[in-house]
Amino acid sequence: MEVMNKYWTIKTHIEDSPKEDDFYLKTSTLALSLGPGSKEMIVKNLYVSIDPYQLNRMKGSSSSQKTGGFAVGIAPGQGIEAFGVARVVASENPEYEKGDLVVGVVTWAEYSKIGSNGMIRKLDPMGFPLSYHVGILAFSGLTAYAGFFEICKPKRGEKVFVSAALGSVGNLVGQYAKLHGCYVVGCAGSKQKVELLKEKLGFDEAFNYREENDMNSTLKRYFPDGIDIYFDNVGAEMQEAAVANMNAFGRVAVCGVISEYTDSGKKAAPDMLDVIYKRIKIQGFLAGDHTGLFQDFISTTSDHLRSGKLCALEDISDGLDSIPFAFAGLFRGDNIGKKIVKIAEE
Amino acid sequence: MEVMNKYWTIKTHIEDSPKEDDFYLKTSTLALSLGPGSKEMIVKNLYVSIDPYQLNRMKGSSSSQKTGGFAVGIAPGQGIEAFGVARVVASENPEYEKGDLVVGVVTWAEYSKIGSNGMIRKLDPMGFPLSYHVGILAFSGLTAYAGFFEICKPKRGEKVFVSAALGSVGNLVGQYAKLHGCYVVGCAGSKQKVELLKEKLGFDEAFNYREENDMNSTLKRYFPDGIDIYFDNVGAEMQEAAVANMNAFGRVAVCGVISEYTDSGKKAAPDMLDVIYKRIKIQGFLAGDHTGLFQDFISTTSDHLRSGKLCALEDISDGLDSIPFAFAGLFRGDNIGKKIVKIAEE
């Protein structure tokens, strides 16, 4: 028994903004008969996550790739790893059987082969749509939760600034911050997004960064009393302006620097005199270090989702074919909320 | 009763590296008879501290000045505040009497008037030279102690890099780190300093940054296993290279950025991809926030001084007249250890 499998790969390493034709679809046959005792599985992918950080894995080299694990480089021709929800179609792993729903690291493909030490686990959907389990109830959610609560240690009433505030992580940080009693301002790249932030997600204020010339004075306008927490998803001049407008003992959680991913000349050079005299902490983090929070995160987040206090903002494209456009769109700012591709019906 | 008092002031705000002729000596009469109940004092200064951060107070504007307190701007013509040891010559403050030794904020002057809310306290020299109480047993020492132990949270065996390693703070950080069982490398600006670091202070390695062209590879050479802690006294490209060579969960304690004080165009732009993927913390701090550690710091440091495990490296100039040269010398790298000016015999 075998299936024809289609999967995406890159033609060459990608050094700038990704374009659709940086990718091509490969087809191969995948044997469904696995070696007995191999502990391998074949899964059929249902939903996969589309994330900006994946670009760093597609580069020829990036300091991120030295981290290992979830960040190692992806070679041209190779399958592209991604977080996803899938169903087991063949299993030699005694812990799983055909038909099981699983969540974890798969590939941008119709089917993925999961090795004996694959990063995967059984999924209990808990009554939520399966797509929630690649975004708000998975790494995007944990990143927002751990980054905001553990790294920023927010206090009620503090002033929070979130960039890329309609991104998969940013929109959740803003929502968690509002639920925590903070004043929250987000920035995004269109008028429609600004309206969504204020009207749908309850941000106190939001602005379109493309309409602003001097980010320093923009932030001064939105934060007359200064910023206590900056949740950074973009890096570069936005981080500099946030640090310049920060209060004493301010915290910058560096979650992503999307503006620097596609332009290696772009760098954040926050004023170190500010950093010293305002005792600012600039802290990089990865959700993977905070899995100890996972149960707490899941219970808090699912409660808020059920009570309607938290909104799951998803941007779902349909079909394996849509992946390159969806991925390139992240860097154009196309997505509104968590970008997901639905590969197959459940 | 009055005395003729000589004190230094600045001619205009200083925006670049300070030069001797940026300063001039003013003379005024100072009445020794204070208003009864005024709680004021007149003190005769014995030793004053000469510190790089004072330059930020002499600028027309600096983000540091917004911090208030010990960092507010100093106007041309005004006395220049400095930490010092002094003897009370007249007191309307019931807590002090003539002849008391005091330590705290005085001025670069023969005599200083201390207001009712002056930052000053009685000094018990504990058998140490008075000069120790403006440096190693005062803010320089507390800055090194709090910055290293509280901000960096070092573990035995960790790899520590210290810049401006023969400065007032850097030399102590290196010594504390060695006592804590760390591997310590320092950089300084001359061959003689490098020898002192290795031979007198027990640093594992040291190098002359003026002889290095590519700081990134220099640090790779001295830290083949990466840097865990960078104690930053200089900022700019040195910080960038340290971050590039840092291990996962590395910490940068930003104590001072002397290379940026005299050149507002110089900035540190550490690679934020490194910051994220290596989960690096970049933390500014001021010793004044860590006075809760003071007793602990004093008892540890004085024990080590008495047992000879810690070396008090002082660079003392003689006489009020020597202050401008001594201060300008900080930015030329003239000083070896804590720069102090002795103003009068005890």
Side-chain angles (χ1 to χ4, degrees):
Chain A
M1 273 276 287
E2 58 184 31
V3 290
M4 289 304 287
N5 185 31
K6 287 197 282 185
Y7 64 97
W8 285 106
T9 184
I10 48 173
K11 291 180 185 167
T12 57
H13 288 297
I14 306 176
E15 306 300 340
D16 300 310
S17 295
K19 299 175 300 298
E20 281 86 310
D21 69 359
D22 290 332
F23 298 87
Y24 70 104
L25 203 55
K26 281 178 89 166
T27 305
S28 67
T29 57
L30 194 61
L32 293 183
S33 53
L34 298 161
S38 67
K39 292 197 172 175
E40 292 174 334
M41 293 194 285
I42 306 289
V43 302
K44 184 179 183 198
N45 297 317
L46 305 177
Y47 291 92
V48 292
S49 180
I50 311 290
D51 295 297
Y53 84 87
Q54 292 176 285
L55 181 62
N56 298 321
R57 301 189 59 183
M58 299 172 189
K59 294 178 184 172
S61 80
S62 164
S63 55
S64 65
Q65 296 176 6
K66 297 174 199 148
T67 316
F70 220 146
V72 295
I74 288 172
Q78 226 184 336
I80 295 169
E81 287 186 347
F83 202 78
V85 166
R87 199 173 286 282
V88 176
V89 293
S91 173
E92 280 294 330
N93 186 324
E95 292 172 42
Y96 298 87
E97 56 188 46
K98 190 176 167 179
D100 279 351
L101 264 182
V102 293
V103 63
V105 179
V106 296
T107 43
W108 284 350
E110 289 179 304
Y111 295 89
S112 302
K113 187 170 189 170
I114 310 293
S116 59
N117 52 6
M119 285 176 62
I120 209 135
R121 62 178 173 81
K122 271 186 207 168
L123 174 65
D124 167 11
M126 303 186 300
F128 292 112
L130 291 185
S131 58
Y132 282 27
H133 296 280
V134 301
I136 191 167
L137 294 174
F139 272 97
S140 307
L142 182 61
T143 301
Y145 191 86
F148 184 60
F149 291 108
E150 277 290 289
I151 305 296
C152 300
K153 303 223 184 292
K155 292 189 266 297
R156 187 171 302 278
E158 282 196 316
K159 314 288 185 289
V160 177
F161 175 49
V162 187
S163 55
L166 266 180
S168 60
V169 175
N171 89 82
L172 284 171
V173 170
Q175 292 189 77
Y176 285 134
K178 280 309 300 171
L179 287 168
H180 198 67
C182 295
Y183 170 81
V184 184
V185 179
C187 74
S190 75
K191 193 160 176 266
Q192 181 209 8
K193 287 181 175 180
V194 166
E195 276 163 21
L196 270 173
L197 286 170
K198 291 197 281 190
E199 280 152 37
K200 191 172 169 70
L201 299 186
F203 279 53
D204 295 286
E205 289 289 348
F207 64 88
N208 178 356
Y209 71 87
R210 295 184 209 264
E211 285 177 357
E212 304 291 332
N213 299 316
D214 173 3
M215 208 45 68
N216 212 326
S217 24
T218 303
L219 291 182
K220 216 173 290 300
R221 205 162 73 235
Y222 285 101
F223 292 96
D225 301 322
I227 299 170
D228 298 303
I229 289 171
Y230 172 45
F231 198 97
D232 191 2
N233 292 305
V234 306
E237 60 272 28
M238 195 73 87
Q239 188 191 100
E240 296 171 14
V243 165
N245 281 280
M246 202 149 242
N247 291 327
F249 304 103
R251 290 135 273 162
V252 178
V254 193
C255 175
V257 288
I258 194 167
S259 76
E260 302 182 23
Y261 293 168
T262 52
D263 181 350
S264 61
K266 273 206 170 185
K267 294 265 179 259
D271 185 335
M272 285 293 149
L273 273 172
D274 276 332
V275 170
I276 296 170
Y277 282 94
K278 299 196 285 193
R279 296 81 126 189
I280 289 171
K281 177 175 83 166
I282 300 173
Q283 171 86 63
F285 73 100
L286 295 175
D289 297 324
H290 301 272
T291 48
L293 284 178
F294 194 75
Q295 285 314 317
D296 187 30
F297 148 68
I298 286 291
S299 102
T300 305
T301 306
S302 54
D303 284 355
H304 285 322
L305 281 169
R306 289 198 180 95
S307 68
K309 285 185 187 163
L310 203 60
C311 162
L313 207 64
E314 296 182 306
D315 186 334
I316 305 183
S317 303
D318 204 46
L320 186 70
D321 289 352
S322 70
I323 287 182
F325 183 79
F327 183 64
L330 291 176
F331 301 89
R332 293 184 298 253
D334 289 354
N335 60 307
I336 289 189
K338 175 67 189 175
K339 187 70 211 172
I340 293 167
V341 169
K342 179 178 176 180
I343 296 188
E345 288 295 335
E346 295 175 30
Chain B
M1 274 277 287
E2 59 184 32
V3 289
M4 288 305 287
N5 185 30
K6 287 198 283 186
Y7 64 97
W8 285 106
T9 184
I10 48 172
K11 291 178 185 167
T12 57
H13 288 298
I14 306 175
E15 305 301 340
D16 299 310
S17 294
K19 299 174 300 297
E20 282 86 311
D21 69 359
D22 289 332
F23 299 87
Y24 70 103
L25 205 54
K26 281 177 87 167
T27 305
S28 67
T29 57
L30 193 61
L32 293 183
S33 52
L34 299 161
S38 68
K39 293 198 170 174
E40 291 174 334
M41 293 194 283
I42 305 291
V43 302
K44 185 180 181 196
N45 297 317
L46 305 177
Y47 291 92
V48 292
S49 179
I50 312 290
D51 295 297
Y53 83 88
Q54 293 176 285
L55 181 63
N56 298 321
R57 302 189 59 183
M58 298 173 188
K59 293 177 185 170
S61 80
S62 165
S63 56
S64 64
Q65 296 176 6
K66 297 174 198 148
T67 317
F70 220 147
V72 295
I74 289 172
Q78 226 183 336
I80 294 169
E81 286 186 347
F83 202 78
V85 165
R87 200 173 284 283
V88 176
V89 292
S91 174
E92 280 295 330
N93 186 324
E95 291 173 42
Y96 297 86
E97 55 189 44
K98 191 175 166 180
D100 279 351
L101 265 182
V102 293
V103 64
V105 179
V106 296
T107 43
W108 283 351
E110 289 179 304
Y111 295 89
S112 301
K113 187 169 188 169
I114 309 295
S116 59
N117 51 6
M119 284 176 61
I120 210 137
R121 62 180 173 79
K122 270 185 207 169
L123 174 64
D124 167 11
M126 302 186 300
F128 291 112
L130 291 185
S131 57
Y132 281 26
H133 297 280
V134 302
I136 192 168
L137 294 173
F139 272 97
S140 307
L142 182 62
T143 300
Y145 191 88
F148 184 61
F149 290 107
E150 278 288 292
I151 305 296
C152 301
K153 304 223 184 291
K155 291 189 266 296
R156 187 171 301 277
E158 282 196 317
K159 314 287 186 288
V160 177
F161 175 47
V162 186
S163 55
L166 267 179
S168 58
V169 174
N171 88 83
L172 285 171
V173 170
Q175 292 190 76
Y176 285 134
K178 280 310 300 171
L179 288 169
H180 198 66
C182 296
Y183 170 81
V184 184
V185 178
C187 74
S190 74
K191 195 161 175 265
Q192 181 209 8
K193 287 181 175 179
V194 166
E195 278 163 19
L196 270 173
L197 286 170
K198 290 197 282 190
E199 280 151 37
K200 191 174 170 69
L201 299 186
F203 280 52
D204 295 285
E205 288 289 349
F207 64 87
N208 178 355
Y209 70 88
R210 295 185 208 264
E211 284 176 358
E212 304 292 332
N213 299 317
D214 173 3
M215 207 46 66
N216 213 326
S217 24
T218 302
L219 291 182
K220 216 172 289 301
R221 205 163 71 235
Y222 285 101
F223 292 94
D225 301 322
I227 299 170
D228 298 302
I229 290 172
Y230 172 44
F231 197 97
D232 190 2
N233 292 305
V234 306
E237 60 272 26
M238 194 74 86
Q239 187 190 100
E240 295 171 14
V243 165
N245 281 279
M246 202 149 242
N247 291 327
F249 304 103
R251 291 133 271 162
V252 178
V254 193
C255 174
V257 288
I258 193 167
S259 77
E260 301 182 23
Y261 294 168
T262 53
D263 181 351
S264 60
K266 274 206 170 186
K267 295 265 179 260
D271 186 334
M272 286 293 150
L273 273 172
D274 276 332
V275 170
I276 296 170
Y277 282 94
K278 299 197 286 193
R279 297 80 127 189
I280 290 171
K281 177 175 83 166
I282 299 174
Q283 171 86 64
F285 74 100
L286 295 175
D289 296 324
H290 299 274
T291 49
L293 285 178
F294 194 74
Q295 285 314 317
D296 187 30
F297 149 68
I298 287 291
S299 102
T300 305
T301 307
S302 54
D303 284 354
H304 285 323
L305 281 169
R306 288 197 182 96
S307 69
K309 286 185 189 163
L310 203 59
C311 161
L313 206 64
E314 297 182 306
D315 187 333
I316 305 182
S317 303
D318 204 47
L320 185 71
D321 289 352
S322 71
I323 286 181
F325 183 78
F327 182 65
L330 293 176
F331 301 89
R332 291 184 299 253
D334 290 353
N335 60 305
I336 289 188
K338 175 68 189 176
K339 187 69 210 173
I340 293 167
V341 169
K342 179 179 177 181
I343 296 188
E345 288 294 334
E346 296 174 27

